[in-house]
Amino acid sequence: SGRRLSARNQFSGRVSEVKHGTVMAEVTVDVQGLDIVAAITAASARNLSLQVDDSVLVAIKATEVMILK
């Protein structure tokens, strides 16, 4: 696509589920057997026309990662 993104944590995967809500949508992406769930606006989900089995890129930009044991 020629587009670039500054986030370093990028993972290719396939959409396995989309739950549409009134304001938000929950999108589950299978990345090599690991489910990554993103909460995005319902408008964004509609604009992207997200469907199960779509090939997508997940970009994670976080200020913190915590581990609890």
Side-chain angles (χ1 to χ4, degrees):
S1 73
R3 291 185 247 175
R4 293 181 176 196
L5 185 63
S6 63
R8 292 181 182 218
N9 298 316
Q10 299 179 32
F11 306 96
S12 296
R14 291 208 173 270
V15 175
S16 58
E17 185 176 18
V18 181
K19 294 180 184 175
H20 293 278
T22 305
V23 177
M24 300 294 290
E26 186 177 279
V27 182
T28 304
V29 179
D30 180 332
V31 176
Q32 297 181 1
L34 175 69
D35 283 342
I36 296 179
V37 181
I40 64 174
T41 64
S44 292
R46 285 192 304 274
N47 290 339
L48 290 169
S49 301
L50 290 174
Q51 303 283 330
V52 170
D53 208 37
D54 279 352
S55 183
V56 296
L57 182 71
V58 175
I60 299 173
K61 185 74 172 175
T63 58
E64 298 177 29
V65 175
M66 296 181 198
I67 298 174
L68 175 66
K69 180 176 177 188

